[in-house]
Amino acid sequence: MAISLIAVFSFCIIRDIKIEKGYTSDLRNRVIGARLQLDGKPPYFYKWKPRDGLRYYDPEQKDTTYANGITASPFFHHLLFPIADLPQRKISEIWLVVEYLMLIACLVFAFLLAQTTTQRWLCTITITCFLFTEGWGSLVMKGQMYILIPFCCFVFYFCINKRNKIFSILLAGAISGVLVLSRPTVILFFLPFIYMGWFRKYNPKQLTAFFLPACILLGYSIFNKKERSYWIEYYYSINAQMKFHQADSNQHSGLYKPVEYSKWEGLDYDLIKGKMPETHWEVDNIPAIIRNIFHITIPIYILHFILSATILALLFIFFKQHKPEQNSDVRILAIFGFCLYMITDFLSPIMRGEYYKVQWLFPLLLISAYYNNKLKVAYTIILSGLLLNIFFIAFIPMRHSVGEFMIFLALLWVCFTDRSKIFS
C-alpha cells in the first residue's frame, strides 16, 4: 500500500509541478480580491486600468458588463492575506503545496477512520483515481480552491466524533464557520445534523465551545462595517454573475480591452502562453446542459424553485425514514448533507467547471473508509463514475457529467437504503 501511494504521488506531483508552471488563472483573481481587501477597496466590481499597475493586474480580464472575474467570498480572501503580497509566481507554488497538503490530510483522516486492510486499500484506490481525474488536473491548472471543502468537512467530521474533548469541539465549530463563510451554500451540509438532533448529545459547556468560534467569525463579518460592505457587494456580484452566465454573447458589452504584459511578478507570459496541457472540459450544471442541448435558458427564479423543491423533497424522504428520536448514523448524516450541498452546484445558473468535482473527495473517502460488502452495487457504481472522469471515451457523450451523476445517485441510494445494510 505504501509503495503504491509513493509511486502514484511521486508521478502526480512531478506532473502537477509542470502544470503549475503555467498560469493559474483562477488563483490570480482570488489574489487580486485579497489585495484589494487588504488595501481597503471593494473587490467585486473593480475594473482594472493600466494606471493601476501590476498589483491588481490580470491578463485574463473578463467582460465586466455585469461584474469582474472575482467570485470567491470575502472570507476566503482573508485566508490568502498571509501570502497575497508575494509575487504571483511564488503564490502559485505555495498554493500547489497547500492543495497537496489538504489532499494528503484527507487521505490520513480516511486511514484513521478505516479499520481493515480492505477499507484502507479502497481509500488508496479512491485517492489514486482522484489524482488522475480531469477534475483534479483542472484544479491544479486553474489554482482553484475547491479542495478546501472536503478538507474542512473531514476536519469537522473527525472532531464531532471526539465530542468528549473540548479542543475538538472548538475546532469543529471554527471549521464550520470557515466552511460556511468560504462557500455559503455549504450550510446545507449541516441540515441533517441539526434536524436529527445530533447536537443534543452535547452538554451546555460543549455547545458553547462549538458555537463560540463560529459566532466570532460570523459576528466579525456582520458587525465590522468594512467587512459587512464586502459581503453586501459579494451578494450583488453573485446576482451579477448569474445574469452574466445566463446572458447570450450579444448581451455582453465587450467594452474591455485585455492588456498583456510579457513579464510580471515572476511570470514570463510569452513563454507559458499556449503551452497549457490539453483538457477535456465539460460544463455540467443542469441549466447549462439544457441550454446547450435544447437552447432553452431556464429563468433564475425557476431554478431557485426547482432547487428548493428538490432539497425539501429529499429532506422529507430522509426524515421520514430516519426519525429524530433514533440514534442516526453520523456517517449517513455526513454523506446525505454533502449530497444536499452538491445539488446547489448541479442547479446553479453559474457555469460549473471540472474542478468542482474535487469536492466529492470527502464522501468517497468516507464511504471507502467504512467499506461494507453488502453495498457492493453502490461501490461498483461509484468506481465506474470515477473511471468515467479519468478515461477519454469519445463515444460516451458528457462522460464526466454522467460519471458524476452516477456517484451522486449511488451515494443517495446508500443514504436511503435499509439501515440494516449500512456500514458494519
Side-chain angles (χ1 to χ4, degrees):
M1 202 178 300
I3 291 170
S4 299
L5 286 171
I6 290 171
V8 168
F9 271 86
S10 298
F11 174 84
C12 291
I13 288 172
I14 293 171
R15 176 201 66 191
D16 291 345
I17 288 173
K18 294 178 181 178
I19 293 175
E20 182 276 328
K21 289 185 183 298
Y23 175 58
T24 48
S25 56
D26 288 353
L27 177 61
R28 178 60 183 177
N29 68 57
R30 282 148 176 73
V31 170
I32 294 170
R35 288 177 177 179
L36 285 165
Q37 284 184 210
L38 272 171
D39 298 341
K41 300 177 181 179
Y44 297 102
F45 293 93
Y46 164 80
K47 296 184 181 181
W48 181 84
K49 299 176 182 62
R51 65 173 178 268
D52 296 338
L54 293 175
R55 181 168 174 78
Y56 310 131
Y57 168 70
D58 187 346
E60 295 190 7
Q61 297 169 58
K62 303 293 191 296
D63 185 329
T64 54
T65 305
Y66 298 91
N68 58 30
I70 299 173
T71 56
S73 73
F75 179 82
F76 183 78
H77 292 155
H78 281 293
L79 300 180
L80 293 178
F81 278 8
I83 60 173
D85 286 327
L86 296 173
Q88 182 67 29
R89 173 75 269 153
K90 181 60 66 176
I91 294 172
S92 184
E93 292 170 351
I94 292 172
W95 189 246
L96 179 63
V97 174
V98 171
E99 287 172 333
Y100 262 96
L101 288 176
M102 288 191 284
L103 179 79
I104 292 170
C106 289
L107 179 62
V108 170
F109 281 126
F111 266 39
L112 291 173
L113 295 171
Q115 296 180 343
T116 68
T117 303
T118 301
Q119 290 169 342
R120 294 190 183 98
W121 264 115
L122 197 57
C123 293
T124 302
I125 292 169
T126 300
I127 203 79
T128 298
C129 288
F130 242 90
L131 281 167
F132 289 96
T133 60
E134 199 74 36
W136 177 259
S138 64
L139 180 97
V140 172
M141 184 178 68
K142 293 286 188 179
Q144 266 289 352
M145 49 78 73
Y146 288 96
I147 187 63
L148 177 71
I149 305 300
F151 168 73
C152 288
C153 285
F154 259 118
V155 175
F156 170 79
Y157 179 86
F158 204 77
C159 288
I160 62 170
N161 280 300
K162 295 182 178 295
R163 62 180 183 275
N164 58 324
K165 298 181 179 179
I166 290 296
F167 175 76
S168 295
I169 297 172
L170 278 167
L171 184 55
I175 212 70
S176 300
V178 170
L179 268 170
V180 173
L181 291 172
S182 295
R183 200 151 194 250
T185 52
V186 184
I187 197 168
L188 292 171
F189 171 70
F190 300 100
L191 282 184
F193 292 93
I194 295 170
Y195 177 83
M196 300 303 289
W198 180 258
F199 296 106
R200 287 200 299 264
K201 300 180 180 182
Y202 292 116
N203 59 42
K205 181 181 177 181
Q206 291 171 327
L207 283 174
T208 302
F210 179 85
F211 285 107
L212 181 62
C215 289
I216 290 173
L217 289 172
L218 184 61
Y220 174 71
S221 297
I222 294 174
F223 297 111
N224 181 284
K225 185 177 179 180
K226 196 70 175 179
E227 195 70 15
R228 186 170 67 249
S229 70
Y230 293 148
W231 278 99
I232 292 171
E233 190 185 62
Y234 175 66
Y235 168 78
Y236 286 117
S237 77
I238 292 299
N239 289 327
Q241 292 290 345
M242 289 191 288
K243 292 177 182 178
F244 176 81
H245 285 267
Q246 292 282 89
D248 295 323
S249 58
N250 59 6
Q251 294 175 288
H252 300 164
S253 69
L255 299 177
Y256 66 107
K257 296 179 180 179
V259 177
E260 288 188 4
Y261 294 106
S262 176
K263 296 181 180 179
W264 53 278
E265 294 196 19
L267 292 169
D268 189 334
Y269 205 64
D270 289 336
L271 184 64
I272 64 177
K273 187 171 61 174
K275 294 185 178 180
M276 300 303 292
E278 181 184 358
T279 58
H280 302 286
W281 189 268
E282 290 183 17
V283 177
D284 57 4
N285 50 316
I286 293 173
I289 293 172
I290 293 173
R291 186 174 181 177
N292 291 337
I293 296 176
F294 301 105
H295 307 290
I296 297 173
T297 300
I298 303 175
I300 293 174
Y301 72 91
I302 292 180
L303 287 175
H304 288 165
F305 173 79
I306 295 172
L307 173 64
S308 301
T310 302
I311 290 174
L312 288 173
L314 289 174
L315 285 170
F316 175 78
I317 297 170
F318 184 81
F319 296 153
K320 189 173 182 181
Q321 184 174 359
H322 301 265
K323 304 297 182 184
E325 63 273 9
Q326 296 171 338
N327 189 18
S328 298
D329 194 320
V330 66
R331 295 166 287 192
I332 295 301
L333 297 181
I335 293 171
F336 181 63
F338 203 88
C339 287
L340 290 180
Y341 156 63
M342 291 300 287
I343 292 172
T344 63
D345 273 10
F346 288 143
L347 289 172
S348 172
I350 296 176
M351 291 185 184
R352 183 174 182 270
E354 292 284 349
Y355 41 75
Y356 283 76
K357 296 180 177 67
V358 172
Q359 297 173 106
W360 289 111
L361 188 62
F362 168 67
L364 294 194
L365 276 179
L366 187 64
I367 200 173
S368 298
Y370 294 115
Y371 173 74
N372 185 332
N373 59 14
K374 294 178 180 179
L375 297 170
K376 281 183 178 178
V377 174
Y379 286 100
T380 302
I381 295 172
I382 289 169
L383 181 59
S384 301
L386 271 176
L387 293 176
L388 282 174
N389 278 273
I390 296 174
F391 297 108
F392 178 69
I393 308 173
F395 65 87
I396 301 179
M398 300 186 66
R399 62 197 176 282
H400 298 164
S401 303
V402 171
E404 187 176 16
F405 289 134
M406 288 170 62
I407 291 170
F408 171 70
L409 293 174
L411 289 172
L412 274 185
W413 179 74
V414 168
C415 294
F416 291 142
T417 193
D418 185 353
R419 281 166 291 171
S420 65
K421 296 180 181 179
I422 301 298
F423 312 111
S424 55

